[in-house]
Every structure is written in C-alpha cells, then in structure tokens.
mmCIF file of all heavy atoms in Angstrom:
data_model
loop_
_atom_site.group_PDB
_atom_site.id
_atom_site.type_symbol
_atom_site.label_atom_id
_atom_site.label_comp_id
_atom_site.label_asym_id
_atom_site.label_seq_id
_atom_site.Cartn_x
_atom_site.Cartn_y
_atom_site.Cartn_z
ATOM 1 N N VAL A 1 0.843 -1.194 0.001
ATOM 2 C CA VAL A 1 -0.001 -0.009 0.010
ATOM 3 C C VAL A 1 0.870 1.271 0.019
ATOM 4 O O VAL A 1 1.640 1.495 0.955
ATOM 5 C CB VAL A 1 -0.936 0.061 1.198
ATOM 6 C CG1 VAL A 1 -1.787 1.321 1.166
ATOM 7 C CG2 VAL A 1 -1.792 -1.182 1.299
ATOM 8 N N THR A 2 0.793 2.028 -1.057
ATOM 9 C CA THR A 2 1.502 3.303 -1.174
ATOM 10 C C THR A 2 0.465 4.411 -1.400
ATOM 11 O O THR A 2 -0.510 4.182 -2.145
ATOM 12 C CB THR A 2 2.496 3.319 -2.364
ATOM 13 O OG1 THR A 2 3.435 2.245 -2.180
ATOM 14 C CG2 THR A 2 3.192 4.648 -2.497
ATOM 15 N N VAL A 3 0.620 5.533 -0.736
ATOM 16 C CA VAL A 3 -0.299 6.629 -0.842
ATOM 17 C C VAL A 3 0.367 7.839 -1.450
ATOM 18 O O VAL A 3 1.451 8.245 -0.985
ATOM 19 C CB VAL A 3 -0.928 7.004 0.520
ATOM 20 C CG1 VAL A 3 -1.791 8.266 0.431
ATOM 21 C CG2 VAL A 3 -1.746 5.842 1.046
ATOM 22 N N TRP A 4 -0.267 8.388 -2.500
ATOM 23 C CA TRP A 4 0.180 9.683 -3.041
ATOM 24 C C TRP A 4 -0.659 10.743 -2.340
ATOM 25 O O TRP A 4 -1.871 10.656 -2.281
ATOM 26 C CB TRP A 4 -0.039 9.739 -4.510
ATOM 27 C CG TRP A 4 0.337 11.079 -5.114
ATOM 28 C CD1 TRP A 4 1.574 11.515 -5.515
ATOM 29 C CD2 TRP A 4 -0.545 12.210 -5.355
ATOM 30 N NE1 TRP A 4 1.502 12.808 -5.955
ATOM 31 C CE2 TRP A 4 0.215 13.244 -5.862
ATOM 32 C CE3 TRP A 4 -1.936 12.398 -5.154
ATOM 33 C CZ2 TRP A 4 -0.350 14.475 -6.237
ATOM 34 C CZ3 TRP A 4 -2.474 13.612 -5.469
ATOM 35 C CH2 TRP A 4 -1.699 14.634 -6.039
ATOM 36 N N THR A 5 0.021 11.786 -1.789
ATOM 37 C CA THR A 5 -0.645 12.801 -1.103
ATOM 38 C C THR A 5 -0.022 14.179 -1.389
ATOM 39 O O THR A 5 1.202 14.281 -1.413
ATOM 40 C CB THR A 5 -0.687 12.544 0.435
ATOM 41 O OG1 THR A 5 -1.307 13.652 1.081
ATOM 42 C CG2 THR A 5 0.719 12.337 0.963
ATOM 43 N N PRO A 6 -0.836 15.227 -1.591
ATOM 44 C CA PRO A 6 -0.267 16.564 -1.740
ATOM 45 C C PRO A 6 -0.243 17.353 -0.428
ATOM 46 O O PRO A 6 0.020 18.568 -0.444
ATOM 47 C CB PRO A 6 -1.285 17.217 -2.691
ATOM 48 C CG PRO A 6 -2.589 16.592 -2.302
ATOM 49 C CD PRO A 6 -2.286 15.163 -1.852
ATOM 50 N N ALA A 7 -0.509 16.699 0.697
ATOM 51 C CA ALA A 7 -0.626 17.399 1.969
ATOM 52 C C ALA A 7 -0.105 16.499 3.096
ATOM 53 O O ALA A 7 0.078 15.320 2.933
ATOM 54 C CB ALA A 7 -2.098 17.771 2.225
ATOM 55 N N ALA A 8 0.063 17.106 4.281
ATOM 56 C CA ALA A 8 0.459 16.342 5.484
ATOM 57 C C ALA A 8 -0.674 15.349 5.812
ATOM 58 O O ALA A 8 -1.855 15.614 5.541
ATOM 59 C CB ALA A 8 0.719 17.280 6.599
ATOM 60 N N PRO A 9 -0.325 14.231 6.482
ATOM 61 C CA PRO A 9 -1.319 13.222 6.781
ATOM 62 C C PRO A 9 -2.460 13.712 7.650
ATOM 63 O O PRO A 9 -3.573 13.158 7.574
ATOM 64 C CB PRO A 9 -0.491 12.148 7.556
ATOM 65 C CG PRO A 9 0.872 12.295 7.012
ATOM 66 C CD PRO A 9 1.050 13.765 6.790
ATOM 67 N N ASP A 10 -2.270 14.804 8.431
ATOM 68 C CA ASP A 10 -3.314 15.239 9.316
ATOM 69 C C ASP A 10 -4.319 16.212 8.660
ATOM 70 O O ASP A 10 -5.260 16.668 9.267
ATOM 71 C CB ASP A 10 -2.785 15.859 10.582
ATOM 72 C CG ASP A 10 -1.856 17.059 10.336
ATOM 73 O OD1 ASP A 10 -1.556 17.320 9.133
ATOM 74 O OD2 ASP A 10 -1.432 17.689 11.308
ATOM 75 N N GLU A 11 -4.082 16.550 7.389
ATOM 76 C CA GLU A 11 -5.025 17.407 6.688
ATOM 77 C C GLU A 11 -6.124 16.553 6.063
ATOM 78 O O GLU A 11 -5.832 15.635 5.272
ATOM 79 C CB GLU A 11 -4.350 18.197 5.548
ATOM 80 C CG GLU A 11 -5.305 19.102 4.815
ATOM 81 C CD GLU A 11 -4.629 19.918 3.708
ATOM 82 O OE1 GLU A 11 -3.408 20.144 3.756
ATOM 83 O OE2 GLU A 11 -5.338 20.281 2.729
ATOM 84 N N PRO A 12 -7.385 16.782 6.426
ATOM 85 C CA PRO A 12 -8.458 15.923 5.901
ATOM 86 C C PRO A 12 -8.678 16.116 4.392
ATOM 87 O O PRO A 12 -8.837 17.235 3.933
ATOM 88 C CB PRO A 12 -9.701 16.412 6.702
ATOM 89 C CG PRO A 12 -9.165 17.142 7.862
ATOM 90 C CD PRO A 12 -7.841 17.774 7.432
ATOM 91 N N LEU A 13 -8.554 15.021 3.658
ATOM 92 C CA LEU A 13 -8.747 15.040 2.219
ATOM 93 C C LEU A 13 -9.585 13.858 1.756
ATOM 94 O O LEU A 13 -9.545 12.798 2.407
ATOM 95 C CB LEU A 13 -7.386 15.023 1.508
ATOM 96 C CG LEU A 13 -6.438 16.225 1.662
ATOM 97 C CD1 LEU A 13 -5.158 15.948 0.868
ATOM 98 C CD2 LEU A 13 -7.087 17.506 1.236
ATOM 99 N N PRO A 14 -10.294 13.973 0.607
ATOM 100 C CA PRO A 14 -10.960 12.815 0.063
ATOM 101 C C PRO A 14 -9.935 11.764 -0.376
ATOM 102 O O PRO A 14 -8.786 12.095 -0.630
ATOM 103 C CB PRO A 14 -11.710 13.381 -1.115
ATOM 104 C CG PRO A 14 -11.693 14.877 -0.961
ATOM 105 C CD PRO A 14 -10.491 15.184 -0.154
ATOM 106 N N LEU A 15 -10.374 10.492 -0.456
ATOM 107 C CA LEU A 15 -9.514 9.380 -0.764
ATOM 108 C C LEU A 15 -10.060 8.546 -1.901
ATOM 109 O O LEU A 15 -11.229 8.147 -1.915
ATOM 110 C CB LEU A 15 -9.359 8.495 0.505
ATOM 111 C CG LEU A 15 -8.511 7.225 0.335
ATOM 112 C CD1 LEU A 15 -7.042 7.564 0.056
ATOM 113 C CD2 LEU A 15 -8.625 6.352 1.618
ATOM 114 N N LEU A 16 -9.176 8.277 -2.818
ATOM 115 C CA LEU A 16 -9.395 7.320 -3.912
ATOM 116 C C LEU A 16 -8.523 6.090 -3.680
ATOM 117 O O LEU A 16 -7.375 6.203 -3.336
ATOM 118 C CB LEU A 16 -9.006 7.977 -5.267
ATOM 119 C CG LEU A 16 -9.042 7.104 -6.505
ATOM 120 C CD1 LEU A 16 -10.443 6.629 -6.847
ATOM 121 C CD2 LEU A 16 -8.454 7.888 -7.690
ATOM 122 N N VAL A 17 -9.108 4.897 -3.853
ATOM 123 C CA VAL A 17 -8.352 3.664 -3.644
ATOM 124 C C VAL A 17 -8.340 2.899 -4.961
ATOM 125 O O VAL A 17 -9.350 2.616 -5.559
ATOM 126 C CB VAL A 17 -8.993 2.807 -2.547
ATOM 127 C CG1 VAL A 17 -8.298 1.444 -2.409
ATOM 128 C CG2 VAL A 17 -8.992 3.526 -1.215
ATOM 129 N N ALA A 18 -7.128 2.530 -5.431
ATOM 130 C CA ALA A 18 -6.969 1.904 -6.766
ATOM 131 C C ALA A 18 -6.352 0.515 -6.677
ATOM 132 O O ALA A 18 -5.230 0.356 -6.170
ATOM 133 C CB ALA A 18 -6.115 2.791 -7.650
ATOM 134 N N HIS A 19 -7.077 -0.505 -7.108
ATOM 135 C CA HIS A 19 -6.466 -1.793 -7.341
ATOM 136 C C HIS A 19 -5.461 -1.666 -8.476
ATOM 137 O O HIS A 19 -5.596 -0.865 -9.384
ATOM 138 C CB HIS A 19 -7.549 -2.814 -7.768
ATOM 139 C CG HIS A 19 -8.240 -3.436 -6.612
ATOM 140 N ND1 HIS A 19 -9.596 -3.890 -6.662
ATOM 141 C CD2 HIS A 19 -7.850 -3.747 -5.361
ATOM 142 C CE1 HIS A 19 -9.913 -4.396 -5.532
ATOM 143 N NE2 HIS A 19 -8.884 -4.340 -4.699
ATOM 144 N N ASP A 20 -4.404 -2.537 -8.400
ATOM 145 C CA ASP A 20 -3.301 -2.436 -9.357
ATOM 146 C C ASP A 20 -2.725 -1.010 -9.393
ATOM 147 O O ASP A 20 -2.279 -0.516 -10.427
ATOM 148 C CB ASP A 20 -3.753 -2.849 -10.784
ATOM 149 C CG ASP A 20 -4.117 -4.281 -10.867
ATOM 150 O OD1 ASP A 20 -3.292 -5.135 -10.466
ATOM 151 O OD2 ASP A 20 -5.221 -4.611 -11.400
ATOM 152 N N GLY A 21 -2.733 -0.356 -8.225
ATOM 153 C CA GLY A 21 -2.351 1.027 -8.159
ATOM 154 C C GLY A 21 -0.970 1.368 -8.707
ATOM 155 O O GLY A 21 -0.828 2.359 -9.473
ATOM 156 N N PRO A 22 0.078 0.629 -8.357
ATOM 157 C CA PRO A 22 1.393 0.966 -8.925
ATOM 158 C C PRO A 22 1.404 0.930 -10.438
ATOM 159 O O PRO A 22 2.059 1.785 -11.057
ATOM 160 C CB PRO A 22 2.309 -0.119 -8.295
ATOM 161 C CG PRO A 22 1.641 -0.464 -6.984
ATOM 162 C CD PRO A 22 0.176 -0.446 -7.286
ATOM 163 N N GLU A 23 0.741 -0.096 -11.062
ATOM 164 C CA GLU A 23 0.710 -0.128 -12.521
ATOM 165 C C GLU A 23 -0.165 0.982 -13.066
ATOM 166 O O GLU A 23 0.159 1.590 -14.115
ATOM 167 C CB GLU A 23 0.236 -1.496 -12.974
ATOM 168 C CG GLU A 23 1.277 -2.582 -12.788
ATOM 169 C CD GLU A 23 0.863 -3.889 -13.468
ATOM 170 O OE1 GLU A 23 -0.361 -4.078 -13.697
ATOM 171 O OE2 GLU A 23 1.735 -4.721 -13.723
ATOM 172 N N TYR A 24 -1.280 1.279 -12.423
ATOM 173 C CA TYR A 24 -2.124 2.423 -12.848
ATOM 174 C C TYR A 24 -1.286 3.695 -12.849
ATOM 175 O O TYR A 24 -1.441 4.552 -13.724
ATOM 176 C CB TYR A 24 -3.277 2.578 -11.859
ATOM 177 C CG TYR A 24 -4.656 2.301 -12.424
ATOM 178 C CD1 TYR A 24 -5.548 1.486 -11.673
ATOM 179 C CD2 TYR A 24 -5.056 2.828 -13.665
ATOM 180 C CE1 TYR A 24 -6.842 1.254 -12.182
ATOM 181 C CE2 TYR A 24 -6.321 2.535 -14.149
ATOM 182 C CZ TYR A 24 -7.199 1.778 -13.359
ATOM 183 O OH TYR A 24 -8.459 1.515 -13.846
ATOM 184 N N ASP A 25 -0.400 3.862 -11.871
ATOM 185 C CA ASP A 25 0.385 5.080 -11.801
ATOM 186 C C ASP A 25 1.512 5.031 -12.866
ATOM 187 O O ASP A 25 1.697 6.003 -13.593
ATOM 188 C CB ASP A 25 0.992 5.191 -10.413
ATOM 189 C CG ASP A 25 1.469 6.594 -10.107
ATOM 190 O OD1 ASP A 25 0.974 7.545 -10.735
ATOM 191 O OD2 ASP A 25 2.377 6.745 -9.232
ATOM 192 N N ARG A 26 2.236 3.912 -12.939
ATOM 193 C CA ARG A 26 3.372 3.854 -13.851
ATOM 194 C C ARG A 26 2.945 3.839 -15.323
ATOM 195 O O ARG A 26 3.593 4.469 -16.186
ATOM 196 C CB ARG A 26 4.160 2.568 -13.555
ATOM 197 C CG ARG A 26 5.381 2.324 -14.469
ATOM 198 C CD ARG A 26 6.224 1.211 -13.918
ATOM 199 N NE ARG A 26 5.508 -0.033 -13.857
ATOM 200 C CZ ARG A 26 5.390 -0.948 -14.844
ATOM 201 N NH1 ARG A 26 5.998 -0.714 -16.010
ATOM 202 N NH2 ARG A 26 4.768 -2.089 -14.680
ATOM 203 N N LEU A 27 1.857 3.148 -15.667
ATOM 204 C CA LEU A 27 1.462 2.967 -17.053
ATOM 205 C C LEU A 27 0.336 3.864 -17.517
ATOM 206 O O LEU A 27 0.143 4.060 -18.722
ATOM 207 C CB LEU A 27 1.021 1.488 -17.251
ATOM 208 C CG LEU A 27 2.097 0.425 -16.875
ATOM 209 C CD1 LEU A 27 1.552 -0.959 -17.057
ATOM 210 C CD2 LEU A 27 3.334 0.597 -17.724
ATOM 211 N N ALA A 28 -0.425 4.407 -16.584
ATOM 212 C CA ALA A 28 -1.521 5.306 -16.951
ATOM 213 C C ALA A 28 -1.416 6.680 -16.322
ATOM 214 O O ALA A 28 -2.322 7.531 -16.564
ATOM 215 C CB ALA A 28 -2.891 4.644 -16.573
ATOM 216 N N GLY A 29 -0.382 6.893 -15.529
ATOM 217 C CA GLY A 29 -0.200 8.278 -14.926
ATOM 218 C C GLY A 29 -1.243 8.719 -14.013
ATOM 219 O O GLY A 29 -1.599 9.889 -13.977
ATOM 220 N N LEU A 30 -1.771 7.816 -13.170
ATOM 221 C CA LEU A 30 -2.918 8.141 -12.285
ATOM 222 C C LEU A 30 -2.607 9.347 -11.381
ATOM 223 O O LEU A 30 -3.444 10.284 -11.273
ATOM 224 C CB LEU A 30 -3.370 6.936 -11.491
ATOM 225 C CG LEU A 30 -4.512 7.160 -10.527
ATOM 226 C CD1 LEU A 30 -5.737 7.656 -11.234
ATOM 227 C CD2 LEU A 30 -4.789 5.854 -9.752
ATOM 228 N N THR A 31 -1.490 9.309 -10.682
ATOM 229 C CA THR A 31 -1.213 10.424 -9.757
ATOM 230 C C THR A 31 -0.976 11.741 -10.531
ATOM 231 O O THR A 31 -1.313 12.830 -10.075
ATOM 232 C CB THR A 31 -0.055 10.137 -8.869
ATOM 233 O OG1 THR A 31 1.158 9.937 -9.619
ATOM 234 C CG2 THR A 31 -0.277 8.884 -8.049
ATOM 235 N N GLY A 32 -0.385 11.637 -11.753
ATOM 236 C CA GLY A 32 -0.232 12.824 -12.549
ATOM 237 C C GLY A 32 -1.551 13.417 -12.980
ATOM 238 O O GLY A 32 -1.746 14.630 -13.004
ATOM 239 N N PHE A 33 -2.527 12.564 -13.274
ATOM 240 C CA PHE A 33 -3.840 13.011 -13.610
ATOM 241 C C PHE A 33 -4.468 13.806 -12.453
ATOM 242 O O PHE A 33 -5.013 14.894 -12.624
ATOM 243 C CB PHE A 33 -4.707 11.803 -13.998
ATOM 244 C CG PHE A 33 -6.205 12.084 -13.966
ATOM 245 C CD1 PHE A 33 -6.774 12.791 -15.043
ATOM 246 C CD2 PHE A 33 -7.014 11.642 -12.967
ATOM 247 C CE1 PHE A 33 -8.148 13.088 -15.049
ATOM 248 C CE2 PHE A 33 -8.372 11.887 -12.951
ATOM 249 C CZ PHE A 33 -8.948 12.613 -13.987
ATOM 250 N N LEU A 34 -4.409 13.204 -11.261
ATOM 251 C CA LEU A 34 -4.972 13.887 -10.102
ATOM 252 C C LEU A 34 -4.247 15.221 -9.800
ATOM 253 O O LEU A 34 -4.871 16.234 -9.560
ATOM 254 C CB LEU A 34 -4.903 12.985 -8.886
ATOM 255 C CG LEU A 34 -5.689 11.704 -8.955
ATOM 256 C CD1 LEU A 34 -5.387 10.799 -7.740
ATOM 257 C CD2 LEU A 34 -7.181 11.964 -9.038
ATOM 258 N N ALA A 35 -2.899 15.196 -9.906
ATOM 259 C CA ALA A 35 -2.135 16.413 -9.653
ATOM 260 C C ALA A 35 -2.459 17.496 -10.636
ATOM 261 O O ALA A 35 -2.547 18.674 -10.281
ATOM 262 C CB ALA A 35 -0.654 16.113 -9.697
ATOM 263 N N ALA A 36 -2.681 17.143 -11.897
ATOM 264 C CA ALA A 36 -3.009 18.153 -12.910
ATOM 265 C C ALA A 36 -4.408 18.709 -12.700
ATOM 266 O O ALA A 36 -4.612 19.942 -12.848
ATOM 267 C CB ALA A 36 -2.879 17.535 -14.313
ATOM 268 N N LEU A 37 -5.383 17.863 -12.400
ATOM 269 C CA LEU A 37 -6.738 18.392 -12.250
ATOM 270 C C LEU A 37 -6.907 19.165 -10.975
ATOM 271 O O LEU A 37 -7.727 20.091 -10.868
ATOM 272 C CB LEU A 37 -7.764 17.245 -12.377
ATOM 273 C CG LEU A 37 -8.277 17.083 -13.818
ATOM 274 C CD1 LEU A 37 -7.161 16.560 -14.751
ATOM 275 C CD2 LEU A 37 -9.500 16.156 -13.884
ATOM 276 N N VAL A 38 -6.156 18.787 -9.912
ATOM 277 C CA VAL A 38 -6.166 19.603 -8.708
ATOM 278 C C VAL A 38 -5.561 20.991 -9.016
ATOM 279 O O VAL A 38 -6.103 21.995 -8.578
ATOM 280 C CB VAL A 38 -5.391 18.904 -7.573
ATOM 281 C CG1 VAL A 38 -5.219 19.838 -6.391
ATOM 282 C CG2 VAL A 38 -6.188 17.641 -7.106
ATOM 283 N N ALA A 39 -4.470 21.037 -9.754
ATOM 284 C CA ALA A 39 -3.817 22.299 -10.035
ATOM 285 C C ALA A 39 -4.767 23.179 -10.879
ATOM 286 O O ALA A 39 -4.719 24.390 -10.743
ATOM 287 C CB ALA A 39 -2.515 22.047 -10.800
ATOM 288 N N ALA A 40 -5.590 22.536 -11.721
ATOM 289 C CA ALA A 40 -6.478 23.304 -12.597
ATOM 290 C C ALA A 40 -7.763 23.724 -11.857
ATOM 291 O O ALA A 40 -8.625 24.400 -12.453
ATOM 292 C CB ALA A 40 -6.804 22.502 -13.831
ATOM 293 N N GLY A 41 -7.935 23.273 -10.620
ATOM 294 C CA GLY A 41 -9.141 23.553 -9.880
ATOM 295 C C GLY A 41 -10.342 22.707 -10.276
ATOM 296 O O GLY A 41 -11.468 22.998 -9.889
ATOM 297 N N ARG A 42 -10.100 21.630 -11.023
ATOM 298 C CA ARG A 42 -11.183 20.755 -11.472
ATOM 299 C C ARG A 42 -11.487 19.638 -10.491
ATOM 300 O O ARG A 42 -12.531 19.010 -10.582
ATOM 301 C CB ARG A 42 -10.849 20.189 -12.856
ATOM 302 C CG ARG A 42 -10.755 21.252 -13.950
ATOM 303 C CD ARG A 42 -10.478 20.611 -15.299
ATOM 304 N NE ARG A 42 -11.468 19.600 -15.627
ATOM 305 C CZ ARG A 42 -11.251 18.639 -16.524
ATOM 306 N NH1 ARG A 42 -10.140 18.624 -17.198
ATOM 307 N NH2 ARG A 42 -12.199 17.749 -16.771
ATOM 308 N N LEU A 43 -10.561 19.391 -9.580
ATOM 309 C CA LEU A 43 -10.790 18.414 -8.519
ATOM 310 C C LEU A 43 -10.336 19.067 -7.194
ATOM 311 O O LEU A 43 -9.383 19.854 -7.179
ATOM 312 C CB LEU A 43 -10.009 17.139 -8.739
ATOM 313 C CG LEU A 43 -10.506 16.144 -9.782
ATOM 314 C CD1 LEU A 43 -9.564 14.980 -9.885
ATOM 315 C CD2 LEU A 43 -11.956 15.669 -9.425
#
C-alpha cells in the first residue's frame, strides 16, 4: 500500500483507492492526472 498525497497526513482530504495502483500510476499516470486536475481547480 502506497499513498500519493499533496498534503500532510493530518489534513483531511478525500480518498481514492486503486487496485493495481502501482501499474495504474506507472502505465496510466494516475497520480499525474490527479495532480493536474487539482492544479487546474477541477478536482
């Protein structure tokens, strides 16, 4: 279990849980997608 987070653990944030998460991240750029949409104010 690895968690990508843009904040300290004590900051309350919504949570997404992904099966095959490391491959989703490496091959589909999942954390990059979240980081980009958060930066754009879309998430």
Side-chain angles (χ1 to χ4, degrees):
V1 180
T2 301
V3 172
W4 176 85
T5 177
D10 60 354
E11 180 180 336
L13 295 180
L15 178 65
L16 173 66
V17 176
H19 274 150
D20 293 310
E23 286 188 339
Y24 248 134
D25 198 25
R26 178 171 60 89
L27 303 176
L30 178 58
T31 62
F33 164 75
L34 297 173
L37 268 67
V38 169
R42 295 181 55 198
L43 284 178

